[in-house]
Structure formats: structure tokens, C-alpha cells
Amino acid sequence: MSSARPSPATTPSDESRSTPPARVLVLNSGSSSVKYQLLDMSDSSRLASGLVERIGERTSLVRHTPLVSGGETRERTGPVADHDAALKAMAEELAADGLGLDSPELLAIGHRVVHGGKYFTEPTVIDERVLSEIERLIPVAPLHNPANLTGIRTATALRPDLPQVAVFDTAFHTTMPESAARYAIDVETADAHRVRRYGFHGTSHAYVSRATARLLGKAPEEVNVIVLHLGNGASASAVRAGRCVDTSMGLTPLEGLVMGTRSGDMDPAVIFHLLRVGGMSADEVDALLNKRSGLVGLCGDNDMREIRRRISEGDERAKLAFDIYIHRLRKYIGAYYAVLGRVDAVAFTAGVGENSAEVREAAVAGLEGLGLAVDGERNAVRGGGARLVSPEGARIAVAVVPTDEEMEIAQQTYALVGKDN
Ligand SMILES: Nc1ncnc2c1ncn2[C@@H]1O[C@H](COP(=O)(O)OP(=O)(O)O)[C@@H](O)[C@H]1O
Ligand SMILES: CC(=O)OP(=O)(O)O
Ligand SMILES: [Mg+2]
């Protein structure tokens, strides 16, 4: 976990206020979407949340939910040209609820930044130096860092007086030992190009591993947890006593599990083969492995709901895609079992992990000998908070633990720039 550092220089200092500002706006800017939440950190309550999807298309969607005074979700579709326009749409929605960005209650804006390299181990107040470092890392996070940068620049233009804080996906994984973080390639070459395994989704792995310990009634230091973050991007981590000791993503978010559109692990020689024999360019192979592989490459769909629907209709390609996805997932569960030695819990999280009972069941099927099983009835329960799905008295807890990257980012931002710190 990244620890907080006070930053008096960037703390707003309106001495006439009786209560210090405590609202944090959290932005998770993706390549074609922006997700946001406004939180009040004086009591960790959520004031509003929303998203702008399909930015740059004619059918962009703005969905906003006020979470105070019983407001209802508002949705509209229509062109949102770019991230600048997306953040302006967000600002208008917030203003309509009396939560405008001009509010003196707003303390800071927290940004999810996917790649922080080895350098950023903690949440960091963004300045020119931080911006240029995030920019320098674009080649190793081409789908993510450019969008994160755009979000930061646009938010800074909207409120130049506020501290903008970066919370890095890579930070939680900086505790990995060298044996897990290094690739077995020539050390000088690797170091010259900073080629190593960084890991991603760290904010989620940190939050979920702690929430899993809480579910078990233990402190994070007392438990070893395998976290399976299965969203569109997917990654596994082995967390020993609250610290990450291995994770499935590497130099970039391409390594590891089968994902919505990314291949995950494969023989690196596939790339040389496609370059030399397939006549593809490096950029074409990059796009193939990041955007046209994984579930979408295998069966044409990356939405697990659609894949399950097709399987129920007897679709063989969808079934094979599901089987490949599950096979890889089971390999990682087994691997991290061995890495940890003792496992107290396996936690499923993110869109697929939280919602797909079929994926959870298939992931541990036949592993009773390892102490892993799901209870059919418990596993079928939909919704709700963190919960156990393993049978009563199971040796290893199998749990569904909803992730909350936004709350984690808000907490880390508040810890860094909050008045009381
Ligand atoms: N009810 C559901 N059953 C199975 N999968 C679901 C369900 N709801 C959402 N998902 C899956 O969750 C994925 C998105 O997960 P999410 O964590 O929101 O991803 P990301 O944050 O990477 O965009 C979708 O691709 C979809 O396959
Ligand atoms: C790092 C990563 O894969 O993020 P996402 O799941 O948001 O694409
Ligand atoms: Mg996600």
C-alpha cells in the first residue's frame, strides 16, 4: 500500500472556513470513456457518480446519478467529441445537482493513472515533472496513459487552483520481490530499457485484499489472499500479509489472464512469427494482441453475459472461448497457491468476478482437494456486498468482494492533501 505524505504547499488554505473542504472528485479516464465519482471524505459518503462512454462517437452516452436527496439517474445520448467535452458534460451534470466544480467544498481531484513505472510507489500531487513521467510511460501503457493524461490536463484547466493527485495502478505491486518482478532475460538489456514486471489494477487488488481480510474478521497482516480482478482487463495477484508478492500483468497490461480483447500469456515467439512469416508490422501485432485477441478474438464477443447466452444456445466458439478463459484462470489460481504456500481466501472481483457465478464455479471446479469449492446456493446469490460463496467450514474462503477503486483513490487523495494531515 502506498502511504500518504502531507503536502501543505498544495492544501487550500482558506482560514475563514469553519469546516475544511473534504470533497474529492475521482476520475478514471479510459481511452473512450470517463468514469467519475464525487465523494465527501469527512464521512466517506458518495455524492454523485457517472460515466461518459463512447467518447468521439455520435452515440456517446452520459449517465449521471446523484446519490444525495434521492435523485434519479439521468441519461442522454449524443455526440461527445473528446475528453474535454466529456469532462464539461460531467461538470454540467454535477452543477445541475448543486455540486458544481466551482464549489469551495471541493478539496482535490484524484486521478487513476495506470502506469507509474517503478518510480511512483505512492499517490502523488501532479506537477509538470509528474506529467512528463506519465507521458514518458505511454509506450508501455498505450491504451491507458494517454487517456489518463488528457483527463488530468482537462481537469487542471477546469480547476487550476486545486491539487490534482495521481493514484497509480502499479503502486501496490512495487512490493513484489525481484524473483517475481524480473523477466529471465539479459539483465543489462532489461535494466537499460526498464523492462520488468510492474503489474496493474493495483488500487483494486489493494482494496479487495483488505476488504477480504475484513470479511474474514482478520487484519490484512494475518491473511494470504489470491485476488482475481476479472473486468474487461483482468489480472490476478498473490497477496501475502497485505503485500503483493506476485501479479499476472507485467511490463504492460497485456500479460497474464485471457481478457476481453487482450491475449494474456503466450510464447513471445508468436510475435516474431507474425512479423517474419505473417508479414505484419509491429504496430499491427500490437493492435492484434491488445484489441483483437482474448475473448473477442476467440469468439467475436468480449462481454461475458453475451458469451454465456451463446453457450446456452449451443454455440461452440463461445464455449471454446469460455474454456480457454477458465483454463488460464485455473492455472493462475494453482500458481499463486504455490507462491503463497498457505491461502486463506480467493476473492473474485470486477465486472465478471462479481457477477458471473458460472466463471466462479468453473474456476474452482474439482479443486476440493486443494480446499477450494463454491456452494451452489451461495454462489447463485446476485448483488450485495462482500460475501462468502464457499461452503460452511471450507478450508479456504472463496469470496465475492466488489471492488471500489474510486473510494480507494479518494481515500488516498484525501490522506495526501486533506487539511487534517
Ligand atoms: N451479470 C454479468 N454476468 C457476467 N459478466 C458480466 C455481468 N455484468 C458485467 N459483466 C462483465 O463485466 C465486464 C466489465 O467489467 P468491468 O469491471 O466493468 O470492466 P472495466 O472496468 O475493465 O471496463 C463486461 O465485459 C462483462 O463481460
Ligand atoms: C490496466 C488495465 O487493464 O485496466 P482496465 O481493466 O481498466 O483496462
Ligand atoms: Mg475496471
Side-chain angles (χ1 to χ4, degrees), residues 283-336:
D283 284 347
E284 284 168 348
V285 178
D286 190 330
L288 171 78
L289 299 181
N290 274 298
K291 298 184 176 162
R292 291 189 283 118
S293 296
L295 293 170
V296 91
L298 289 165
C299 75
D301 271 309
N302 61 342
D303 191 316
M304 191 53 83
R305 287 165 289 201
E306 187 58 17
I307 290 172
R308 291 305 311 178
R309 195 193 58 74
R310 283 173 54 185
I311 292 172
S312 71
E313 290 174 353
D315 186 317
E316 289 297 329
R317 268 184 75 191
K319 174 75 170 66
L320 180 60
F322 183 81
D323 289 349
I324 294 170
Y325 182 95
I326 295 295
H327 180 73
R328 185 82 53 83
L329 188 56
R330 289 166 64 88
K331 287 216 276 196
Y332 271 93
I333 294 171
Y336 288 171

Side-chain angles (χ1 to χ4, degrees), residues 115 133-143 145-146 251-253 286:
H115 213 316
E133 187 63 19
I134 297 170
E135 194 159 9
R136 211 183 50 74
L137 289 160
I138 285 176
V140 281
L143 298 186
N145 272 29
L251 173 73
T252 78
D286 190 330

Side-chain angles (χ1 to χ4, degrees), residues 12 20 78 114 147 169 171 189 235 239 245 260 270 325 353 387-389:
V114 165
D169 258 40
T189 307
S235 65
V239 183
V245 293
V270 169
Y325 182 95
R387 60 195 186 276
L388 291 175
V389 296

Side-chain angles (χ1 to χ4, degrees), residues 28 35 112 201 229 231-233 350 403 405:
N28 181 349
K35 295 181 192 162
R112 175 187 181 208
H201 294 139
H229 176 110
N232 232 326
T403 192
E405 288 159 290

Side-chain angles (χ1 to χ4, degrees), residues 177-346:
E178 286 294 284
S179 53
R182 277 203 177 268
Y183 292 108
I185 64 173
D186 172 69
V187 171
E188 279 77 35
T189 307
D191 288 352
H193 301 287
R194 301 207 275 183
V195 172
R196 60 186 282 116
R197 308 188 58 255
Y198 294 96
F200 300 89
H201 294 139
T203 306
S204 176
H205 288 285
Y207 177 88
V208 170
S209 56
R210 272 190 278 114
T212 305
R214 207 176 312 129
L215 179 67
L216 301 183
K218 301 258 174 76
E221 297 73 33
E222 296 175 294
V223 293
N224 294 348
V225 186
I226 297 174
V227 179
L228 304 170
H229 176 110
L230 312 177
N232 232 326
S235 65
S237 70
V239 183
R240 174 181 291 131
R243 290 163 69 86
C244 177
V245 293
D246 203 354
T247 194
S248 59
M249 285 177 166
L251 173 73
T252 78
L254 182 57
E255 190 179 342
L257 299 172
V258 176
M259 310 183 210
T261 65
R262 292 171 236 163
S263 63
D265 295 336
M266 50 171 215
D267 182 346
V270 169
I271 297 166
F272 319 139
H273 185 77
L274 292 174
L275 292 175
R276 292 180 189 135
V277 180
M280 295 172 75
S281 69
D283 284 347
E284 284 168 348
V285 178
D286 190 330
L288 171 78
L289 299 181
N290 274 298
K291 298 184 176 162
R292 291 189 283 118
S293 296
L295 293 170
V296 91
L298 289 165
C299 75
D301 271 309
N302 61 342
D303 191 316
M304 191 53 83
R305 287 165 289 201
E306 187 58 17
I307 290 172
R308 291 305 311 178
R309 195 193 58 74
R310 283 173 54 185
I311 292 172
S312 71
E313 290 174 353
D315 186 317
E316 289 297 329
R317 268 184 75 191
K319 174 75 170 66
L320 180 60
F322 183 81
D323 289 349
I324 294 170
Y325 182 95
I326 295 295
H327 180 73
R328 185 82 53 83
L329 188 56
R330 289 166 64 88
K331 287 216 276 196
Y332 271 93
I333 294 171
Y336 288 171
Y337 199 120
V339 166
L340 290 170
R342 188 201 85 218
V343 179
D344 299 291
V346 175

